[in-house]
Amino acid sequence: MRKCAPILLVLSWVALSAAPVNAQIEFVPKAELDRLGLQRYWQSSPPLPVGELVKQHTLVDDNVYLISESNLAVAVHSGTGVVRWIAQVADRDQQVREPTHSDAYTFFTGPASVKVLNRRTGELAGEPRRLRGVIVTVDHDTARISIGAAHGVRLDDILDIFNVNDSENTTREPIAQLRVTVVDHKEARGRLVRESRTTKIFPGDRVRQDVRLPLREVKLPFAAASPAVADEEDLFVGAANQRMYSLRFLSGFTNWRVLTPKNMSAAPTLFGDSVYFCDNDGRCASATKRKRKRNWEFYTDGAIALSPVVTDKYVFVASSDRSLYCLDRETGRRNWTHRFDNVPDLEPVISDELIFQRTKGNNVHAIRIEDGEAVWKREAAGRFMLRLEDDAYLWNDTPPMLMRVAIDSGEIEDSVGLPMVTFAEASPADQLIVFGQSDGSLVCARPKKAPHLKPEQLAIVLQNDRKAKEIDRYVAEKEAERERLAAARAEAEKTREKAKYSFLADDDFLTSRITTEPAVKSKAEEKPKAAAESKPKEEPQAEKKEADPWGGDPWGEDDTDSKDDKKDDDEKDKDDDKDDDKDDDDKDDDDDDDGWDW
């Protein structure tokens, strides 16, 4: 039933949108918007638990997020007002930081973990893992393989085994399977599951599997101090132990970490192949995402609690030293610095040739990007929302007011009070403003020239989200079917093993039951007996093992390793020792101070 929740919510909104606007959502009058050159584009009342209010709200890319007091998150498509999904993102009493986006996922950062959801469907992110390795040793019904936790292997994974010559032939059936029972850092062990006892498995045979499981959450190595951001593979988060971590979020593997004195509370920013981050020690730095290679670093005179804003050419950093810095993105060199009378308290917003910065006291500053010169300043004006041609729109929370000002001078052209509005979010790129109330009611305003919302737009959003749900559900069903077949095959193997052992090892119906001595013994039988009696007694020999009814070791391998196997094991142990030494060196590198605490 839970999987159907997002669809039911969407249908409930569609029914609501067809009804006339009632008094409960008439908190943004059309006439007031018309005065400012705007139109009401859509309205929505997303479902919240009875009696709960919105405690957090934000607009990220094309989603408006409302988080209730019980940490229930509702995602609304900003372009149409369609309720995409609703999901529990944390326990009721936990702190949840503002969500961030990658191309496919939404990330909700809690105290010690990060919830990863599909940003269009709200379903748990899939955990695709491509496992490829080789059999190292075989011991009866178990085997050791060359891949472990560092490569994404988990307990109870089922890997297919192929002969070394058939490993790249995807049409061949596996000769056996391995169920993982022990996982170490760089290797794993498991129990073999074979169709037949006569199947031979040798060191060097290949193991492989493509696994996709629901990713419940990403466990963090330390308590989070900043919101997490991620691309499609790696997650970056500031921790309370004065470090920033890079994690492979689908496997939980730590790629690297870097020291951040006095912690970092601002979310890192990803751009291209680099990550840009600032800390409370006043440092802004850039490093490559994959290998932690330092690009540059820049120090300000105060703590930095706001995320850097990155463009193709520049990095903008708002510092508590009452300054906005414009840095060259590739070199980190300072192009200019703009000083304010007070401390910046929001990230700057870029619009064409201008950048807008709010400082403490709700003062809005318009600054020219080219040289950092002030264009205008408006006190107690709130914050910049968006730009429409020659006008800029500013929103003030106290009292709730929307203002239209001239873009070149900051002079107020008109303003309207909206006392019933609790919060407002904007997307300058999409030229829209979303007004909200504490009960979750929303109204979207767009320019009058914007085309009216059409049913086709709703259908596209609904269709895309439905397709995404269907794909995720199809993959999950296929994975469940594969696991069911594997379990059935394993159960059948157990039954077959019992029958074979009871037939040849336990049942003695082939043994002769004649107990009488033969009447006449041949001379051939008497001579060995006489020779045995005359032969002096020898020391007792070690007891020889009885011949196995299967014609040797029933698993197709000797109990002890051959000399070649031991040699291979010794060589691998040496390689492992080298790898461990290298890992220790890497760890020492992480902890060492190389001049800038990397």
Side-chain angles (χ1 to χ4, degrees), residues 2 78 114 150 154 208 217 237 252 260 322-324 352 359 402-403 425 429 489 502 538 543 549 574 577 597:
R2 182 171 294 180
S78 61
V114 179
R154 306 283 180 83
R208 74 184 188 200
E217 60 186 6
V237 61
T260 55
R322 300 184 303 174
S323 301
L324 176 66
D352 296 333
T359 59
L402 184 65
M403 292 174 282
E425 300 288 348
R489 185 160 48 185
S502 63
E538 296 181 359
E543 183 180 352
K574 291 180 181 178
D577 292 339
D597 299 328

Side-chain angles (χ1 to χ4, degrees), residues 318-486:
S319 173
S320 62
D321 63 3
R322 300 184 303 174
S323 301
L324 176 66
Y325 297 87
C326 174
L327 311 178
D328 184 273
R329 185 179 68 84
E330 294 184 353
T331 65
R333 290 182 179 178
R334 179 172 56 183
N335 293 323
W336 50 258
T337 303
H338 187 92
R339 299 284 182 182
F340 303 107
D341 296 333
N342 222 322
V343 177
D345 58 0
L346 280 181
E347 285 98 3
V349 180
I350 297 173
S351 178
D352 296 333
E353 78 282 2
L354 299 179
I355 183 168
F356 296 86
Q357 178 67 64
R358 190 181 84 169
T359 59
K360 192 174 181 180
N362 288 338
N363 301 323
V364 179
H365 302 259
I367 302 166
R368 195 161 43 238
I369 293 177
E370 182 180 0
D371 53 14
E373 293 297 321
V375 179
W376 52 263
K377 170 187 174 182
R378 176 146 296 282
E379 296 183 355
R383 58 191 171 99
F384 173 80
M385 302 298 278
L386 56 86
R387 175 180 179 174
L388 298 178
E389 298 179 349
D390 296 331
D391 296 327
Y393 290 84
L394 309 179
W395 171 255
N396 199 344
D397 292 310
T398 308
M401 180 184 299
L402 184 65
M403 292 174 282
R404 183 179 65 187
V405 303
I407 194 68
D408 57 351
S409 65
E411 294 296 325
I412 297 178
E413 298 176 344
D414 204 347
S415 64
V416 296
L418 300 172
M420 297 180 65
V421 174
T422 307
F423 61 86
E425 300 288 348
S427 173
D430 296 328
Q431 293 193 332
L432 59 84
I433 303 174
V434 177
F435 302 96
Q437 289 185 307
S438 58
D439 65 353
S441 300
L442 300 174
V443 168
C444 175
R446 293 199 67 192
K448 282 185 177 180
K449 295 181 180 180
H452 293 287
L453 185 61
K454 298 178 181 179
E456 291 81 4
Q457 293 174 270
L458 294 173
I460 290 174
V461 175
L462 294 172
Q463 183 182 27
N464 289 342
D465 288 351
R466 184 171 61 253
K467 284 183 178 179
K469 290 186 179 74
E470 289 174 352
I471 291 173
D472 288 347
R473 191 173 295 112
Y474 173 79
V475 174
E477 289 174 355
K478 287 296 182 183
E479 179 65 24
E481 178 68 12
R482 188 189 68 80
E483 292 181 355
R484 186 186 64 79
L485 292 175

Side-chain angles (χ1 to χ4, degrees), residues 39 89 105 158 171 233 243 303-304 352 406 435 497 513 581:
Q39 63 168 316
V89 295
Y105 302 116
I158 298 178
T171 61
E233 293 183 356
R243 284 165 176 79
I304 304 174
D352 296 333
F435 302 96
E497 289 174 7
R513 289 170 171 77
D581 293 339

Side-chain angles (χ1 to χ4, degrees), residues 147-168:
I147 52 178
H151 310 92
V153 178
R154 306 283 180 83
L155 284 176
D156 295 326
D157 279 346
I158 298 178
L159 310 180
D160 292 332
I161 302 175
F162 297 84
N163 284 332
V164 62
N165 296 326
D166 296 336
S167 60
E168 299 303 324

Side-chain angles (χ1 to χ4, degrees), residues 25-41:
I25 57 174
E26 188 66 30
F27 60 94
V28 182
K30 288 183 177 181
E32 302 290 1
L33 294 178
D34 187 67
R35 282 176 50 189
L36 300 178
L38 302 174
Q39 63 168 316
R40 188 162 61 193
Y41 200 64

Side-chain angles (χ1 to χ4, degrees), residues 97-118:
R97 302 179 186 274
E98 62 184 31
T100 59
H101 272 183
S102 69
D103 289 341
Y105 302 116
T106 301
F107 302 87
F108 293 88
T109 307
S113 63
V114 179
K115 193 87 167 183
V116 186
L117 304 176
N118 185 301

Side-chain angles (χ1 to χ4, degrees), residues 52-181:
E52 290 196 21
L53 301 177
V54 175
K55 73 170 184 178
Q56 289 177 251
H57 50 83
T58 187
L59 195 160
V60 186
D61 295 328
D62 60 346
N63 276 1
V64 179
Y65 292 100
L66 307 178
I67 302 178
S68 74
E69 296 167 326
S70 63
N71 285 330
L72 199 69
V74 181
V76 181
H77 184 245
S78 61
T80 60
V82 170
V83 178
R84 284 182 147 177
W85 49 265
I86 180 170
Q88 191 75 37
V89 295
D91 294 337
R92 183 182 185 90
D93 298 329
Q94 290 184 335
Q95 178 189 6
V96 178
R97 302 179 186 274
E98 62 184 31
T100 59
H101 272 183
S102 69
D103 289 341
Y105 302 116
T106 301
F107 302 87
F108 293 88
T109 307
S113 63
V114 179
K115 193 87 167 183
V116 186
L117 304 176
N118 185 301
R119 60 184 275 191
R120 293 197 302 176
T121 67
E123 297 181 355
L124 290 171
E127 183 189 4
R129 287 177 287 139
R130 190 172 184 268
L131 306 178
R132 300 291 186 271
V134 298
I135 300 287
V136 177
T137 59
V138 179
D139 185 10
H140 290 299
D141 61 343
T142 63
R144 181 161 59 99
I145 59 176
S146 63
I147 52 178
H151 310 92
V153 178
R154 306 283 180 83
L155 284 176
D156 295 326
D157 279 346
I158 298 178
L159 310 180
D160 292 332
I161 302 175
F162 297 84
N163 284 332
V164 62
N165 296 326
D166 296 336
S167 60
E168 299 303 324
N169 190 343
T170 57
T171 61
R172 293 282 187 136
E173 290 293 325
I175 60 174
Q177 290 185 319
L178 179 82
R179 180 182 291 276
V180 177
T181 56

